[in-house]
Amino acid sequence: MSAEVKPTRANKPFVFNAENEAKFQKLLTRYPDTAALNLPGLWLIQQQDGWISYEAMEYLAERINIPVTQVYEVATFYTMYNLQPVGKYHFQVCRTLSCELRGGEEILAHLTKKLGIKPGETSKDGRYTLTKVECLGSCGSGPMFQLNDDYHEWLTVEKVDEILAKLP
Amino acid sequence: MAVQEVKVLSAKYGIKDSRTLAVARAHGGYSQIEKAFSMEPAQIVEMVKASGLRGRGGAGFPTGMKWSFLPKGLDKPTYLCINSDESEPATFKDRQIIENDPHMLIEGIIITCWAINSHDAYIYIRGEFVRQAEMLNTAIDEAYAAGLLGEKACGKDFRVDITVHRGAGAYVCGEETALIESIEGKKGQPRSKPPFPAVVGLFQCPTIINNVQTIASVPYIIEHGAEGYRKFGTEKSAGTFLFGISGHVNKPGVYETELGVSMKGFIEDLAGGVWKNRKLKAVIPGGSSTPIMTPKEVETCMLDYESIVEHGSMLGSGGIVVLDETVCMVKSLKNLLYFYHHESCGQCTPCREGTGWIYKIVSNIEAGKGKMSDLDLLLELADNMEGKTVCVLSGAAAMPTRSYIQKFRHEFEEHIKLGKCPFAG
C-alpha cells in the first residue's frame, strides 16, 4: 500500500447500518459458503462509507469467517474498491480504444483543465476525483465517462461543460 | 443485397417499458416455460445441440455440447453462471439485452436450469454496470413476486433462485474460471484446466458458464425448434448475433443480424459506412483481442465463425472496431497493449511481464525512440506469450501485436525511421 493511502477510519469500528445489515442477511441465504460474500460485502461497505477502510475489512472478515488477508487481497485486486476516500463527484473517464478513436483524449484533457486536478487526484475541497479507467463497455457511444454510478455517453467538450454546470 | 437486421433477441427493443414484466409478457415473454417444463431436460439439451447455438461470449463453443459435459448422477448441486462481465474492449451487446429485455434472459435462465438440473444461477455482472445490475435486480424481484422464480418456479415443483453478483473492475473475471474465483470471494485469478468447470466449478461443484446472449437465445430455440433457429445463419454458424460496432463509422451501435452476412455490407448498410467520407484503414472484427484485418480482407469476409478464421482472425464477442485512414496504427496498438498490461492478473510470468514489456516497446516506437530490431523482438515476445499461460489474456495481447506488425509493418518502420509519429501534428 502506497504512502498516500489512508487505510484507517481513525480506529472507529465499522458496523453495517440497518439497511446494509438487511441486505447482508439476504445475501447469506444465497450462497452455500460465507466467503462468497467477500465482494458483495465490500460493495456494501463502500456504499455505506464511500470507501473501504482497514477496520471495515476486519469487520467483514469476521462476519464472513475468512482471514482478513483474503479480504485485503480482494480489496486491492479489484480497481473499483476505493481504498481511500474519493470526491463527492468521481469522474471515471474511459481511455480504451473505441473511446480514444472518438475523441476520449480530448474529453480527459478538458476535464483535467476544468477540474484543476490530474487523473488519479482528488480536489483539495473533496469535491472531485478524476480517474482514467479501462473500457467501460460503452464503446458504441463513446467518448464517455462514468460519474459516480451513471454513464454519460456521446460526450463533447460542450456536453461536459453542461454536466459540470448542473452539478449541485 | 443489403445487409438487414434480424430481430430475434432484439425483438422488444424500442418498445416502451420493454424492461418490465408486464410488457415483456404482453410480447411473448415467459411463454416458452410451459413447453420447456413439458420436455425432458435431456430433450432440451439435444434441441440446443441440434440448433447449432454457440457461445456468444467470445470462444464460440457449442452450447448444447457444453451442457452435455455435466457429470450424471453426482450427489452435488449444479450451478449456472451467466457471464455478464462484458469487459472485452469494443463489446457492449449484453448490456443491451439487460437494458431492454432482462426478462428474456431470466426466461432463458429458468429453461437452462431445468435442462441442466440446476437450482441456483448467478449472474456475474461487471461492477461498473451499476444501473444494469439494478435493472436486473428489479426484473428478478418482479419475477419472484409473480411466482416465476423461487421454490416453485412458474408453478412447477422446481426451485430456481437467481442472484446478481457484481464484479469490481477486473477484465480477467470474464474468463470463466476467474469468474468462479471471484464469486467464491477471491481474486479473479484463472484456474488451470482441466478439470473444466462442468466437472469441478463453482464451490467445487459442476458448473455451466454461459454468456448473456447465449442464454437469451434459448427461449427462441424452444419456441421454434432447432430447425427454426437454423433457418438463420450458416451450417456451422447458426442463428443470429448481436454485433456491436464502434469507432469510425457513422452509426455505431448494436445490430442483430443472422450470421454469415458480408462484413463490408454490415459496416456500410447498418453502421452507415466509414465516417467523414474517409477511407477504411483497418477493422478489428470481434473484440480488441482478435487479429486486425486489412480493407482487402474485409472486402471478402463474412460475419461468421468460419469465414473470419479463414481471413486470419476470429468472430470473438462480435465487437467490431472500424479504424479510418487517419489512425496511427502504432498508437492504437499502444492503447490496446496498455489495457492488457493493466488487466493482467499477474499470476503467470509470460503475461505479467510480457504485457508490460510489449507495451513499453510499442510506446517507445510511438515516441520515436524505437529500433528496427524491436519489431522482430515484439513478434518473438508475442510467440512466447501465447499458449504458455493459465488463461488466454496473454494471448489476447499477443494476437493484436502480431497482426498489427504483420499487416502494418511499414507504419512501425516509418515511426522508427522518422524518429517520431508521422500522424502527430
Side-chain angles (χ1 to χ4, degrees), chain A residues 77 79 95-96 133-135, chain B residues 87-89 169-172 288-289 332-363 385 392-398 400-401:
Chain A
F77 180 82
T79 55
R95 63 150 294 279
T96 315
V133 297
E134 296 305 325
C135 186
Chain B
S87 298
E88 174 82 355
Y171 164 74
V172 71
S288 66
S289 62
S332 64
L333 178 62
K334 176 183 144 186
N335 182 298
L336 292 179
L337 293 182
Y338 184 81
F339 172 84
Y340 289 101
H341 171 45
H342 185 270
E343 299 298 329
S344 172
C345 82
Q347 183 176 205
C348 312
T349 310
C351 181
R352 183 184 61 244
E353 303 297 327
T355 51
W357 195 353
I358 57 177
Y359 166 70
K360 277 179 197 155
I361 296 172
V362 173
S363 285
M385 287 168 65
V392 297
L393 195 151
S394 188
T401 304

Side-chain angles (χ1 to χ4, degrees), chain B residues 86 150 157 256 337 397:
Chain B
E86 186 140 273
D157 197 11
E256 183 175 15
L337 293 182

Side-chain angles (χ1 to χ4, degrees), chain B residues 41 45 70 73-74 76-80 110-120 158-159 206:
Chain B
V45 176
L70 286 169
L74 274 190
K76 275 180 173 183
T78 297
Y79 292 106
L80 174 65
I110 297 169
I111 296 170
T112 305
C113 280
W114 173 245
I116 65 172
N117 191 29
S118 172
H119 299 285
D120 294 283
F158 185 77
R159 176 177 72 83

Side-chain angles (χ1 to χ4, degrees), chain B residues 102-423:
Chain B
H103 286 288
M104 181 173 56
L105 175 63
I106 298 171
E107 184 178 5
I109 291 173
I110 297 169
I111 296 170
T112 305
C113 280
W114 173 245
I116 65 172
N117 191 29
S118 172
H119 299 285
D120 294 283
Y122 296 95
I123 302 176
Y124 188 93
I125 185 166
R126 62 178 302 168
E128 295 91 339
F129 284 172
V130 182
R131 298 303 176 208
Q132 288 82 354
E134 287 170 1
M135 288 168 194
L136 277 174
N137 274 319
T138 302
I140 290 167
D141 288 347
E142 277 186 301
Y144 270 106
L148 300 164
L149 293 172
E151 278 304 319
K152 291 190 189 303
C154 305
K156 176 100 173 167
D157 197 11
F158 185 77
R159 176 177 72 83
V160 178
D161 282 312
I162 303 179
T163 304
V164 175
H165 190 98
R166 280 177 71 203
Y171 164 74
V172 71
C173 290
E175 197 278 343
E176 58 180 9
T177 58
L179 184 153
I180 288 174
E181 291 279 305
S182 190
I183 296 180
E184 289 183 357
K186 300 174 202 153
K187 292 190 281 186
Q189 293 193 316
R191 297 177 182 173
S192 292
K193 294 189 275 193
F196 288 92
V199 182
V200 182
L202 188 62
F203 307 117
Q204 301 298 306
C205 295
T207 302
I208 291 296
I209 300 154
N210 282 133
N211 172 257
V212 168
Q213 191 187 161
T214 315
I215 293 302
S217 304
V218 170
Y220 188 91
I221 295 170
I222 297 294
E223 183 173 2
H224 299 274
E227 283 314 305
Y229 191 70
R230 278 193 170 279
K231 75 173 188 275
F232 302 112
T234 68
E235 173 65 27
K236 285 182 179 161
S237 300
T240 66
F241 205 112
L242 289 165
F243 290 101
I245 183 161
S246 60
H248 293 156
V249 288
N250 286 309
K251 293 190 291 172
V254 176
Y255 301 95
E256 183 175 15
T257 67
E258 60 180 326
L259 286 162
V261 299
S262 133
M263 182 183 282
K264 188 166 180 258
F266 183 91
I267 294 169
E268 284 173 3
D269 303 335
L270 294 180
V274 182
W275 71 345
K276 301 180 180 177
N277 287 319
R278 288 183 187 158
K279 272 198 224 140
L280 180 68
K281 185 170 201 174
V283 171
I284 299 170
S288 66
S289 62
T290 58
I292 197 157
M293 295 169 73
T294 62
K296 192 163 172 263
E297 289 167 320
V298 172
E299 203 69 37
T300 51
C301 188
M302 301 296 157
L303 286 176
D304 60 57
Y305 293 97
E306 283 68 35
S307 182
I308 300 187
V309 169
E310 281 163 20
H311 286 77
S313 191
M314 292 180 326
L315 183 76
S317 60
I320 302 167
V321 191
V322 173
L323 285 72
D324 76 20
E325 56 188 325
T326 66
V327 176
C328 168
M329 298 310 281
V330 182
K331 190 179 173 217
S332 64
L333 178 62
K334 176 183 144 186
N335 182 298
L336 292 179
L337 293 182
Y338 184 81
F339 172 84
Y340 289 101
H341 171 45
H342 185 270
E343 299 298 329
S344 172
C345 82
Q347 183 176 205
C348 312
T349 310
C351 181
R352 183 184 61 244
E353 303 297 327
T355 51
W357 195 353
I358 57 177
Y359 166 70
K360 277 179 197 155
I361 296 172
V362 173
S363 285
N364 277 338
I365 296 174
E366 203 257 343
K369 292 182 276 185
K371 303 188 290 286
M372 281 301 171
S373 58
D374 285 344
L375 300 180
D376 289 333
L377 176 60
L378 281 170
L379 292 174
E380 192 189 327
L381 288 170
D383 286 344
N384 281 306
M385 287 168 65
E386 202 171 351
K388 295 180 172 64
T389 47
V390 167
C391 84
V392 297
L393 195 151
S394 188
M399 285 191 292
T401 304
R402 192 182 297 120
S403 60
Y404 265 76
I405 294 174
Q406 281 166 348
K407 293 173 186 179
F408 297 93
R409 191 172 179 122
H410 57 282
E411 277 201 22
F412 289 79
E413 290 177 348
E414 204 184 345
H415 274 76
I416 295 165
K417 280 183 202 149
L418 282 175
K420 63 172 188 164
C421 173
F423 290 85

